[in-house]
Amino acid sequence: MARYVYRFGEPLEDGAAGAGRARALLGGKGAGLAEMTRLGVPVPPGFTLSSELCSRFLPRESRDAASEARNDSKLGFDADLRDEVEHALSDVEQQLDRRFGGSSRPLLVSVRSGAMVSMPGMMDTVLNLGLNDETAAALAEETGDARFASDTYRRFIQMYGNVVLDIGHHHFEATLGRVKAAQGNAQLRDTELTESSLRDLIKRYKALIEDQSGASFPTDVREQLWTTITAVFRSWNNARAVRYRKMQGIDASIGTACTVQAMVFGNLGDDSGTGVAFSRNPSTGEATIFGEFLPHAQGEDLVAGLRTPLPLTASSAVPGSEANSFEALLPKAFESVVEHCRALETHFGDMQDVEFTVEAGKPFILQTRAGKRTARAAVRIAVDMEREGVINQDQAVLSVDASSLQQLLHAKLPPPTALAENGVHPIARGLPASPGAASGAIVFDADEAVERAAQGQDVVLVRRETSPEDIHGMKAARGILTASGGMTSHAAVVARGLGKCCVTGCGALQVDYATGTIRIPKSEHVSEPIVLSRGDEISVDGSHGRVYLGVLDVEAAATVPEFDVLMGWADKRRRMRVRANVDTPQGARTARSFGAQGIGLCRTEHMFFAPDRLLAVRCAVLATDDATREQWLERLEAAQREDFEGMFRIMQGLPITIRLLDWPLHEFLPVENADFESVAEALGIAVKQVRQSAHAMKEINPMLGFRGVRVGLTMPQLYSMQVRAIARAAVRCAQDGAEVEPEIMVPMVSLAGELSAVRSLVDTTMRAELERCEAKLPYRVGTMIELPRACLVADELAQYADFFSFGTNDLTQTTFGISRDDAAHFLPRYLDELGIMDVNPFVRLDRGGPGALMQIAAERGRSARSDLSLGVCGEHGGDPSSVQLCEELGLDYVSCSPPRLPIARLAAAQAALRRSSEKS
Amino acid sequence: MARYVYRFGEPLEDGAAGAGRARALLGGKGAGLAEMTRLGVPVPPGFTLSSELCSRFLPRESRDAASEARNDSKLGFDADLRDEVEHALSDVEQQLDRRFGGSSRPLLVSVRSGAMVSMPGMMDTVLNLGLNDETAAALAEETGDARFASDTYRRFIQMYGNVVLDIGHHHFEATLGRVKAAQGNAQLRDTELTESSLRDLIKRYKALIEDQSGASFPTDVREQLWTTITAVFRSWNNARAVRYRKMQGIDASIGTACTVQAMVFGNLGDDSGTGVAFSRNPSTGEATIFGEFLPHAQGEDLVAGLRTPLPLTASSAVPGSEANSFEALLPKAFESVVEHCRALETHFGDMQDVEFTVEAGKPFILQTRAGKRTARAAVRIAVDMEREGVINQDQAVLSVDASSLQQLLHAKLPPPTALAENGVHPIARGLPASPGAASGAIVFDADEAVERAAQGQDVVLVRRETSPEDIHGMKAARGILTASGGMTSHAAVVARGLGKCCVTGCGALQVDYATGTIRIPKSEHVSEPIVLSRGDEISVDGSHGRVYLGVLDVEAAATVPEFDVLMGWADKRRRMRVRANVDTPQGARTARSFGAQGIGLCRTEHMFFAPDRLLAVRCAVLATDDATREQWLERLEAAQREDFEGMFRIMQGLPITIRLLDWPLHEFLPVENADFESVAEALGIAVKQVRQSAHAMKEINPMLGFRGVRVGLTMPQLYSMQVRAIARAAVRCAQDGAEVEPEIMVPMVSLAGELSAVRSLVDTTMRAELERCEAKLPYRVGTMIELPRACLVADELAQYADFFSFGTNDLTQTTFGISRDDAAHFLPRYLDELGIMDVNPFVRLDRGGPGALMQIAAERGRSARSDLSLGVCGEHGGDPSSVQLCEELGLDYVSCSPPRLPIARLAAAQAALRRSSEKS
C-alpha cells in the first residue's frame, strides 16, 4: 500500500526518507519540520500529505470548486488515505492533549501548501482550522480571552471563505467596513474592534458565505479539513502559480505537498508567551542569543507592537529590571529555546532567526531561517563559527554577502528607505558616483573649499561640473556634488581616486555661481522649491546618490578584527586574481593596501588632470603643426614617465596594465575664455584660431567618436610618446634591480588592422628606445574589448594581442545603445516604475547582452590563442554577481577601483567555491 | 610514361583534358590558350609544362640559383622531358617557319608562369627568349629595324639577368643611366635611345652579368630556355608569392605551370600590325566591333602612344579617311579578328576585350578578357546578347554590375579621379548624402532660392545645416550643400526624399550668413584660401561628396530602352522582396514608380519636418502637463492620419511598415530665439521655462540617449496618438474597400520588456479604436533590430514580434562604436591612407560585426518563432554586396530609398541566382 501521510513533532517523525527524497515528497516546509523533529527540536506536531497526492486533485479543476469540495468522495479520498489522516490526527491530539472539534481544549490546525521548490506566496494557506461556535467558545474559556477567540474565529471564516470557497476578499472587506461603521468609525483599525463587534462580524461573515456559495459555513471540522486540503492542493494550478512556474522554469509535474500542523497558543497564561530569537547578535555578531519575548501573547501581538516586548536574556535587560526578561520569567523554557537555537545553528551552519511560542511552559519552535545581519556581524559570525568548528572555512567565506562589505569600508548614512521611515527625505537625487557619505557646508569654489577646510570646517564642494582646476578643492572637501556629469565624469573619476564620496548628475540642482545659491524646483520629490546658499549645510550619500538637507549622522567606516582573517581565507580560495583601476602612484599605494595583485587599468589620460599638465595637453591637441605638437608632448612624456616610475616601484613586479590614451576630448578642450587665451599664447597663435580648432573637434556623440586608438592612429606621436615614457620609466626601474613587465593596452579597438598597426608602432618605438638605452625589457601588448565588434572578431584580434581586458562600461553602453551619462531620462523609470529592467546594467553585468558578447569573445579569443590572458577592468569588477559571471567565463582576473577590492576578493572566492561545488 | 608537355596553337592542341583538369595541369594561362586553340582562334603556338613538374624544382631552393641553373642535370630534367619539349618546340618551329636560335627567321619565345588560381604579378615571366648576337642580327634584318632588334635584345638580357640570375633591377637601371648620360642626357626616355646607345647598353649589360653572376651571359638558346623554365617554376616559392597565397588562402601544393609561347611580330612590314578590339562598343553597347589598330608596330608602340592608332572599322573612321582603318588596310585580317572576337564572345558569354597582332598578314590573338563597359552599355549588351541567344536570361541578369545602375539613374559628374586627370580638383569634400550632381549659383536663404529659381536660375542652397524652415528652398534648389550634419541629418534625409543631390558635413566651409560668403581655408586640398559670395557658381557631386568651383558638365540621367527588360528578368529571379524607405504619399508614389513592393520604413518623425507641424511637435514635447501635451498631440494626429491615409491608398494593399517615433530630439528642439518665443506663446508659459525644459533635454550622446521606445514608454501618449492615427487612417481606407494591413514597428528596442509593453499599448489602443469605429483591421507589430543586445536576445524579442527589421545604420554604429556623424575625423584616413578598412561599413554591411550579429538574430529569432518575417531597412538595402549578405541570411526583403530600388532589385536577383547555383 502506498503511503501518503508523514507525521512530525514529538516523539518521532516519519519523514526519514533521505533529504532529497523527503523534499520531493514533503515539500520544503514538510521536510523542514521533519528535519527539526529529527534534531529533537520541538515543533507543533502535525503531518504532511505527500506531493504524490497533488495530481489526484488536478484533473478535476473546475470553476465550481466550492460545490465539488463538499462531496469528498468525488475528490478521490479513498478509505486508506482517510485512515492514514485520522491516525495522524489522533497522534497529534494525544501529544497535545487536545481534541479536533472538541468542546474543551480544542485542537486547531493550519493547512499549508509547500512544494519542493520555494514559490513564496503563490499558493494557499488556511490557519486556525477547527473552529466553530462550540470550539470557539472552548477557546475563549481556555485562554480567558473571549475577544481573542472571536477574532481568531472570524479570521478563520474569512480565510476559509476566500481560499476554499473562492469568495473575493472585497466581500469580506466590505462587511468588515460595515461592522466598523456600526461601531462608530469605518476607519478603525482591526485591533480596535470590540468583542461584540467581532461577534457581529462572525454572524455577517457566515451570512455572506451562505449568500455567495449557496451553502452554510461548515461546522463539521472534518469537512473543514478535507475541503481545505483539496483547495490547498488545487492552488498548485492557480493562474498566479502557473505564471510563476513558467517564469522561473519550475517543472509543473512536481506538485505541492500539504502540511497539517497544530496551532499552539502563547496566550494561555503567564507561563505562555511568544518571541523571536537570533542565535547570535545580528548587529555585532556577538555569540550570545538575542531577541524579544512577549509573555501571555500570540505572535500577532508581537507584530502589532501594542505592548513592549522584553529582552530574552537578563544581561541584556535594562540594569535593575533584569527580572523582566524571558530568562528570568521562564528559565526552563529559556534554556530550552537557547539550546534549540544552538542546535539549529549548528545543523544549518548559519546564524538562525527563530520564532517560538511557549504554551503552558512548553516551548515550540514555529519557524527557523538564516538571520539577517549587518556586514560587521556577518564577518564576525563567519570567523567565530569557523573557530567553534560549526562551519569550515569554505562555508565561512560563502556566508558573507560580498556586496555588504561596502558598508564596512566607507563612512555611511542609513539607507534611503530607513531614513524615509524616520521622515528624512532627500532633497535631490543623482548618481552614486563614489561611495561614502559626508555632511558639511556648501561651497561653490575650490579655493573657498581649501580655506574653510583649513579652518577646520567640513565642506561639500558643489559645482555644475568639475574640471581639473577644481582638484585642490575636491581634496579639501568632505564630499562632492555636481549637477551634471555621469559615473565616468571628471568629478566621479577624481572622487573615486581620492576616496571622497561624490554624487554626480544631480539634474534638479540649478547652481548659480554668481549669487552663490542652489535652487531646487518643485518636483515629485520636493513639495516646495528650495533655495540653499553658500555655507548652508547638506549631507551627501555617495553610495546611493542622494542629497539631504542639514547635517545627518554619518557613521564612520567600521573596523572589524575578524575582517582580515576572512579575507585571508577568501584569498586562498580565489582562482581569479584581483587588480585595481588606479592612475597614480598614490592610487597604487591605496590599491596595495586593499590587496591588489596588480593594476588592471591605468588610464593614462587621467594623469593629465593635474593643472600643470593640462595646458600641455591642450597645446599638444590644438597645435597646428607636428613640430609644436612634439614639443608639448615631450613635456607630457616627462610627467608620465615620472608617474609610471612611481607606480612600477610601488607595485614591485606585480603586473601593471597601462592603457594608451583614450582621449575624452570634450573633457580636455578649453571652455573658459582664459583657457583659450593661455593656449593661444603658449602656441603663439590667434585666440580665434584656437577657438576654431577646438570647435572643429566638437562631436555630436563623443562616446562613439574620435577616441582611443582612432586618435592614436591619426596622431601617432601621442602613442609613441606614451610608449617612450613607459619604456624609459621601466628601464630606469629595471636598472635599479626592480622587476618590471609593463602591459600596454590599446583602447576602443574594433578592427584587427587597428591593433596590428598599434602593435607595430609599440614594437618599433620600444625597440628603438631599448636599443638607445642598451636595455632589455619584457613587455606585453593587448587590447581593451569594449565594443561589440571586438567581441565578434576576437579571434582576429587575438592574433595581435597578448591579453584582452573587457571594458564592460563601454561594452554595456554600446551593446544596449545607452549612454550612461544620458540614461537619467528613462533608466530610473525602467528600473522602478515600469519594471522593464531588474538591475541597472551599469551596476551588474547583463548576461543577455554584454555577458553574451564576452562569452563569444572569450571563446573566439582563446580558440585563436590558447595562452591569451583575459580580465575585466570595468567597474563591474567590484560587483559580486558580475564577478560570478567572470568566474563562469574563466577570466584570469577582475580589476576595480581600490575601495571595491575587498568585495571583488570575497566575491571571486565565493564564485570559485560555487563553481567547484557545481563541478563535484 | 607520364606526360608533362601540352601543345597549343594550330593545328590542334593537346590540352583536351577537360576544363577543370586542364586548369589544374596547365594553369589559367595554359588552359586559356588550349581553349582558344580548340575554338579555332589563332594564338601564337607554344606549349605548357604541367604544374606537376613544379614540385621537382621546389626542394632544390637555394640562394645560388644561378650557378645551379647552369647544370640542368641537377635540375632533374630527365631525357623524356627534354624529348617532349624538343618535339613541341620543333612543332612550333614548323608552324611558324622559324628556327629557335636560327640565324634567319629566328624563333623567340616567352616563358610565363601561370597557376590554376590567378596570382597576378606574383611570379616571374621572361619575354623574347632566344636572342643572342646572331639571332638579334637576323631579327634586325627580318624586320628591317635594327633599333627594334637591339632594344628587344637588351630588354631580354635585362629580364633574364633579373629573373634567372637574380641580379637586382637597380644594377640594370644604373647601367642604363650611364648609357643615357653618355648619349648626352641621363633623363632621356628609353624610346629616345639611339641604336648605337642600345648596342653599347647590350655590351654593358653582358659585362654586368658576368660581373654579378661570375659567368657570361648564355648564348646557347637552349641553356636560356631551361634555366628560365627552372626560374619560372621556382618563382612559385618566392617570398611575394608565398605571402600572397597565405593572404588569399591558396593551397601551396597546387604549383604553377610554365607556358612557352612563340613571340609574334607586328612590325614586319605594312601587312603587320597590332591592335585592341572590343567585341561591342563599351560606351554604348552597340553590337559592332570597336577598337584601335597600329600598322607596322608592336604592342609596346600602342601603349607608348607615340603614333596615333587607326580605328578598326571603316565606318568609325573620320568621314573621308575611311581608308585609314584596319578594315580597309587589311580586310582579310580584319574579318578574321572580327570573327574570332565573335567566337570568343559567344564562348565566354560576355563582351570581350581582345589584344591581337598581325604578323605578315596573319592575325594572332594574344589575349582576351571580359571588357570593361559603362552601365548603359552593360544593360544593352546583356539584353542584346540574350536576344541573340549568346547568353540566357540568368546570365544576362548576372552580367550587369548592380551598383553601376546608380550611374544611369541620376544626373552625374565624371568621377573625381577622371576630373582630377583633367586638372579639375574639388574645393571641398563632404559626405555623399544624396546622389546626383548639379551646378548653380550659391544662395544662403530658402526664400532667395525660391525667388531665383522662379526666375529660371539654377541655384545651390548652401547652409551650415538645414532645418524644417528650409524645405521650400531645398525643393527649389538644384542641389544642397551643408557645412555640418551627417548622412542622416535633416538635409540628407529631406534631400533623398526630394531626389535632390546633396553634400553634407562639408566641414571646411566657413559659412557666414551675415556677409553672404563662404570661406574655405588653406588645407591639403586647397592651396590658397577661397572666398565665395552669394551668386558665385559651384557644382556639387552628391554621389561622391565633392564640391567644385564653377559650372561643370553635368550629364543628365540616361534612358536605356533595355533597362526595363533587364529589370523584368531580375524581378522574376528574386527571392527577396524589395521595399522602399519613404515617409510621405509623394515618396510612396516615387517608390512605386521604381518598383517598390511595399514600404519597409516609414519614419513617422520625418512627417514632422513640415513647418506647420513643427510648432505642434515642439509644444507636445515641451508641454509642462499631460493635458496640454494631449492637445498638441491631437493636432499631430490629424496630420499623421492624413499622411497615412495617402500612403495606404497609393500602396494599394502592399505592406507598409510604420515606425513609431524615433525622436531625434536635438533636431526638433527650438534653436532660434523666435522659435523659443513662439513655443512659449503657444504653451502660455515663460520663454525662460521653455529654455530650461529644452536645456534639460540636451544630451551628451544623443545617439545613445533618450530615443525611440525609451521616449515611447516614458511618454506613452505619443505612441498612443500614433497608433490611433494609423488605426483611423486604415479604417477609413478599409471602409472604401481598400486592402490595408499596417505593420507597426518599435524602434531602439534592447529589452523584451520594452517590446512587450509597447505591444500591449498598441493592442489596447487598437482595440479601443476599432471598437469605437466598429471596424476590424488586421495589423502586425514588430521591432527594429538596431542594437547589438537586440540581436543577442532575438529569441526573447520574437515572443512579442511578428517581424524584425534590421536597422543596419544604427547597428553598424553601435557594433563598431562609431558615430557616423563624427566619423570624419578618422574614417577617411582608415579607408585611404592607413588601409585599416577596405570599405566604409556604412556603405557595405560589415560581415564580421553587424553581419555576424544579424546572423545570430535571424537564427535566434526564427528558432523562437518560425514564421517571423525578417527584413533590412537601413540604406545598406541598396548596396549589392549587402543585399547578397541579406540573401545568404535568408531575409524576406530589403528596403532602401527609392532611387536605389533598381540596384536592390538587380542585386537581389543576382544574389538569388548565385545562391541557387551554389546549391546545385
mmCIF file with all atom_site columns, all heavy atoms in Angstrom, chain A residues 434-446:
data_model
loop_
_atom_site.group_PDB
_atom_site.id
_atom_site.type_symbol
_atom_site.label_atom_id
_atom_site.label_alt_id
_atom_site.label_comp_id
_atom_site.label_asym_id
_atom_site.label_entity_id
_atom_site.label_seq_id
_atom_site.pdbx_PDB_ins_code
_atom_site.Cartn_x
_atom_site.Cartn_y
_atom_site.Cartn_z
_atom_site.occupancy
_atom_site.B_iso_or_equiv
_atom_site.pdbx_formal_charge
_atom_site.auth_seq_id
_atom_site.auth_comp_id
_atom_site.auth_asym_id
_atom_site.auth_atom_id
_atom_site.pdbx_PDB_model_num
ATOM 1  N N   . SER A 1 434 ? 30.647 57.998 -6.226 1.00 0.00 ? 434 SER A N   1
ATOM 2  C CA  . SER A 1 434 ? 31.762 57.497 -5.409 1.00 0.00 ? 434 SER A CA  1
ATOM 3  C C   . SER A 1 434 ? 31.209 57.248 -4.017 1.00 0.00 ? 434 SER A C   1
ATOM 4  O O   . SER A 1 434 ? 30.600 58.137 -3.407 1.00 0.00 ? 434 SER A O   1
ATOM 5  C CB  . SER A 1 434 ? 32.902 58.522 -5.389 1.00 0.00 ? 434 SER A CB  1
ATOM 6  O OG  . SER A 1 434 ? 33.973 58.024 -4.614 1.00 0.00 ? 434 SER A OG  1
ATOM 7  N N   . PRO A 1 435 ? 31.403 56.037 -3.470 1.00 0.00 ? 435 PRO A N   1
ATOM 8  C CA  . PRO A 1 435 ? 30.687 55.659 -2.254 1.00 0.00 ? 435 PRO A CA  1
ATOM 9  C C   . PRO A 1 435 ? 31.172 56.397 -1.006 1.00 0.00 ? 435 PRO A C   1
ATOM 10 O O   . PRO A 1 435 ? 32.258 56.965 -0.985 1.00 0.00 ? 435 PRO A O   1
ATOM 11 C CB  . PRO A 1 435 ? 30.964 54.157 -2.149 1.00 0.00 ? 435 PRO A CB  1
ATOM 12 C CG  . PRO A 1 435 ? 32.226 53.940 -2.881 1.00 0.00 ? 435 PRO A CG  1
ATOM 13 C CD  . PRO A 1 435 ? 32.254 54.959 -3.979 1.00 0.00 ? 435 PRO A CD  1
ATOM 14 N N   . GLY A 1 436 ? 30.337 56.325 0.037  1.00 0.00 ? 436 GLY A N   1
ATOM 15 C CA  . GLY A 1 436 ? 30.641 57.014 1.268  1.00 0.00 ? 436 GLY A CA  1
ATOM 16 C C   . GLY A 1 436 ? 29.591 58.084 1.523  1.00 0.00 ? 436 GLY A C   1
ATOM 17 O O   . GLY A 1 436 ? 28.669 58.248 0.734  1.00 0.00 ? 436 GLY A O   1
ATOM 18 N N   . ALA A 1 437 ? 29.718 58.774 2.648  1.00 0.00 ? 437 ALA A N   1
ATOM 19 C CA  . ALA A 1 437 ? 28.763 59.821 2.972  1.00 0.00 ? 437 ALA A CA  1
ATOM 20 C C   . ALA A 1 437 ? 29.483 60.919 3.717  1.00 0.00 ? 437 ALA A C   1
ATOM 21 O O   . ALA A 1 437 ? 30.521 60.682 4.337  1.00 0.00 ? 437 ALA A O   1
ATOM 22 C CB  . ALA A 1 437 ? 27.630 59.260 3.819  1.00 0.00 ? 437 ALA A CB  1
ATOM 23 N N   . ALA A 1 438 ? 28.960 62.132 3.609  1.00 0.00 ? 438 ALA A N   1
ATOM 24 C CA  . ALA A 1 438 ? 29.576 63.261 4.298  1.00 0.00 ? 438 ALA A CA  1
ATOM 25 C C   . ALA A 1 438 ? 28.551 64.356 4.502  1.00 0.00 ? 438 ALA A C   1
ATOM 26 O O   . ALA A 1 438 ? 27.601 64.472 3.737  1.00 0.00 ? 438 ALA A O   1
ATOM 27 C CB  . ALA A 1 438 ? 30.756 63.801 3.484  1.00 0.00 ? 438 ALA A CB  1
ATOM 28 N N   . SER A 1 439 ? 28.765 65.156 5.564  1.00 0.00 ? 439 SER A N   1
ATOM 29 C CA  . SER A 1 439 ? 27.958 66.346 5.791  1.00 0.00 ? 439 SER A CA  1
ATOM 30 C C   . SER A 1 439 ? 28.895 67.532 5.808  1.00 0.00 ? 439 SER A C   1
ATOM 31 O O   . SER A 1 439 ? 30.073 67.401 6.168  1.00 0.00 ? 439 SER A O   1
ATOM 32 C CB  . SER A 1 439 ? 27.237 66.254 7.135  1.00 0.00 ? 439 SER A CB  1
ATOM 33 O OG  . SER A 1 439 ? 26.325 65.185 7.122  1.00 0.00 ? 439 SER A OG  1
ATOM 34 N N   . GLY A 1 440 ? 28.374 68.695 5.451  1.00 0.00 ? 440 GLY A N   1
ATOM 35 C CA  . GLY A 1 440 ? 29.218 69.875 5.509  1.00 0.00 ? 440 GLY A CA  1
ATOM 36 C C   . GLY A 1 440 ? 28.537 71.073 4.911  1.00 0.00 ? 440 GLY A C   1
ATOM 37 O O   . GLY A 1 440 ? 27.420 70.986 4.395  1.00 0.00 ? 440 GLY A O   1
ATOM 38 N N   . ALA A 1 441 ? 29.252 72.219 4.981  1.00 0.00 ? 441 ALA A N   1
ATOM 39 C CA  . ALA A 1 441 ? 28.725 73.471 4.465  1.00 0.00 ? 441 ALA A CA  1
ATOM 40 C C   . ALA A 1 441 ? 28.958 73.535 2.960  1.00 0.00 ? 441 ALA A C   1
ATOM 41 O O   . ALA A 1 441 ? 29.993 73.098 2.461  1.00 0.00 ? 441 ALA A O   1
ATOM 42 C CB  . ALA A 1 441 ? 29.420 74.643 5.143  1.00 0.00 ? 441 ALA A CB  1
ATOM 43 N N   . ILE A 1 442 ? 27.981 74.108 2.272  1.00 0.00 ? 442 ILE A N   1
ATOM 44 C CA  . ILE A 1 442 ? 28.098 74.247 0.824  1.00 0.00 ? 442 ILE A CA  1
ATOM 45 C C   . ILE A 1 442 ? 29.157 75.289 0.471  1.00 0.00 ? 442 ILE A C   1
ATOM 46 O O   . ILE A 1 442 ? 29.136 76.401 1.012  1.00 0.00 ? 442 ILE A O   1
ATOM 47 C CB  . ILE A 1 442 ? 26.747 74.694 0.225  1.00 0.00 ? 442 ILE A CB  1
ATOM 48 C CG1 . ILE A 1 442 ? 25.702 73.601 0.411  1.00 0.00 ? 442 ILE A CG1 1
ATOM 49 C CG2 . ILE A 1 442 ? 26.885 75.079 -1.240 1.00 0.00 ? 442 ILE A CG2 1
ATOM 50 C CD1 . ILE A 1 442 ? 24.284 74.048 0.075  1.00 0.00 ? 442 ILE A CD1 1
ATOM 51 N N   . VAL A 1 443 ? 30.085 74.898 -0.421 1.00 0.00 ? 443 VAL A N   1
ATOM 52 C CA  . VAL A 1 443 ? 30.958 75.896 -1.064 1.00 0.00 ? 443 VAL A CA  1
ATOM 53 C C   . VAL A 1 443 ? 30.895 75.646 -2.562 1.00 0.00 ? 443 VAL A C   1
ATOM 54 O O   . VAL A 1 443 ? 30.659 74.521 -2.999 1.00 0.00 ? 443 VAL A O   1
ATOM 55 C CB  . VAL A 1 443 ? 32.436 75.818 -0.591 1.00 0.00 ? 443 VAL A CB  1
ATOM 56 C CG1 . VAL A 1 443 ? 32.560 76.177 0.873  1.00 0.00 ? 443 VAL A CG1 1
ATOM 57 C CG2 . VAL A 1 443 ? 33.018 74.445 -0.883 1.00 0.00 ? 443 VAL A CG2 1
ATOM 58 N N   . PHE A 1 444 ? 31.085 76.739 -3.329 1.00 0.00 ? 444 PHE A N   1
ATOM 59 C CA  . PHE A 1 444 ? 30.973 76.603 -4.781 1.00 0.00 ? 444 PHE A CA  1
ATOM 60 C C   . PHE A 1 444 ? 32.322 76.706 -5.462 1.00 0.00 ? 444 PHE A C   1
ATOM 61 O O   . PHE A 1 444 ? 32.416 76.570 -6.670 1.00 0.00 ? 444 PHE A O   1
ATOM 62 C CB  . PHE A 1 444 ? 30.053 77.708 -5.332 1.00 0.00 ? 444 PHE A CB  1
ATOM 63 C CG  . PHE A 1 444 ? 28.638 77.580 -4.852 1.00 0.00 ? 444 PHE A CG  1
ATOM 64 C CD1 . PHE A 1 444 ? 28.114 78.430 -3.892 1.00 0.00 ? 444 PHE A CD1 1
ATOM 65 C CD2 . PHE A 1 444 ? 27.825 76.587 -5.375 1.00 0.00 ? 444 PHE A CD2 1
ATOM 66 C CE1 . PHE A 1 444 ? 26.809 78.298 -3.464 1.00 0.00 ? 444 PHE A CE1 1
ATOM 67 C CE2 . PHE A 1 444 ? 26.512 76.458 -4.948 1.00 0.00 ? 444 PHE A CE2 1
ATOM 68 C CZ  . PHE A 1 444 ? 26.005 77.303 -3.993 1.00 0.00 ? 444 PHE A CZ  1
ATOM 69 N N   . ASP A 1 445 ? 33.346 76.973 -4.648 1.00 0.00 ? 445 ASP A N   1
ATOM 70 C CA  . ASP A 1 445 ? 34.608 77.353 -5.239 1.00 0.00 ? 445 ASP A CA  1
ATOM 71 C C   . ASP A 1 445 ? 35.717 76.537 -4.598 1.00 0.00 ? 445 ASP A C   1
ATOM 72 O O   . ASP A 1 445 ? 35.741 76.354 -3.370 1.00 0.00 ? 445 ASP A O   1
ATOM 73 C CB  . ASP A 1 445 ? 34.790 78.855 -4.955 1.00 0.00 ? 445 ASP A CB  1
ATOM 74 C CG  . ASP A 1 445 ? 36.062 79.376 -5.544 1.00 0.00 ? 445 ASP A CG  1
ATOM 75 O OD1 . ASP A 1 445 ? 37.095 79.278 -4.842 1.00 0.00 ? 445 ASP A OD1 1
ATOM 76 O OD2 . ASP A 1 445 ? 36.023 79.836 -6.697 1.00 0.00 ? 445 ASP A OD2 1
ATOM 77 N N   . ALA A 1 446 ? 36.643 76.043 -5.411 1.00 0.00 ? 446 ALA A N   1
ATOM 78 C CA  . ALA A 1 446 ? 37.699 75.178 -4.907 1.00 0.00 ? 446 ALA A CA  1
ATOM 79 C C   . ALA A 1 446 ? 38.563 75.908 -3.884 1.00 0.00 ? 446 ALA A C   1
ATOM 80 O O   . ALA A 1 446 ? 38.919 75.354 -2.838 1.00 0.00 ? 446 ALA A O   1
ATOM 81 C CB  . ALA A 1 446 ? 38.557 74.666 -6.061 1.00 0.00 ? 446 ALA A CB  1
#
